[in-house]
């Protein structure tokens, strides 16, 4: 398959957005694991975990929007 973006993008904006997307995805995975019965311990604050999941999802959406905006502008030039 052809990647959506180059492996080593030249644009700093693209690199920044990709870093945010990647780090947020890892954080989301980590936070979601905390809700699994095996991972959950009595001190797990589900409300805090829920807020972290929401924040991660927001960051992913933000990074995706940035990438779409950047690539759309680049493709229109």
């Amino acid at each position: 398959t052809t990647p959506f973006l180059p492996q080593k993008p030249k644009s700093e904006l693209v690199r920044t957005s990709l870093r945010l997307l990647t780090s947020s995805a890892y954080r989301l995975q980590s936070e979601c694991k905390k809700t699994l019965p095996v991972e959950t311990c009595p001190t797990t604050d589900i409300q805090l975990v829920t807020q972290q999941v929401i924040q991660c999802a927001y960051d992913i959406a933000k990074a995706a929007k940035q990438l779409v905006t950047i690539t759309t502008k680049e493709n229109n030039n």
Side-chain angles (χ1 to χ4, degrees), residues 22-40:
T22 304
S23 65
S24 298
Y26 282 118
R27 281 184 42 228
L28 179 61
Q29 182 181 31
S30 173
E31 293 299 330
C32 287
K33 281 184 180 179
K34 293 177 185 177
T35 65
L36 297 174
V38 175
E39 298 278 332
T40 304

Side-chain angles (χ1 to χ4, degrees), residues 31 33-36 39-49:
E31 293 299 330
K33 281 184 180 179
K34 293 177 185 177
T35 65
L36 297 174
E39 298 278 332
T40 304
C41 66
T43 60
T44 300
D45 183 346
I46 295 300
Q47 284 186 319
L48 178 59
V49 172

Side-chain angles (χ1 to χ4, degrees), residues 4-70:
F4 174 68
L5 294 165
Q7 292 296 321
K8 294 185 179 187
K10 295 176 184 174
S11 167
E12 182 60 35
L13 289 173
V14 171
R15 287 194 298 271
T16 300
S17 296
L18 287 173
R19 279 193 294 269
L20 177 61
L21 187 62
T22 304
S23 65
S24 298
Y26 282 118
R27 281 184 42 228
L28 179 61
Q29 182 181 31
S30 173
E31 293 299 330
C32 287
K33 281 184 180 179
K34 293 177 185 177
T35 65
L36 297 174
V38 175
E39 298 278 332
T40 304
C41 66
T43 60
T44 300
D45 183 346
I46 295 300
Q47 284 186 319
L48 178 59
V49 172
T50 301
Q51 288 301 313
Q52 292 299 322
V53 167
I54 291 168
Q55 183 62 52
C56 293
Y58 172 81
D59 289 341
I60 289 169
K62 179 180 172 183
K65 181 180 178 187
Q66 288 173 349
L67 288 171
V68 169
T69 301
I70 293 165

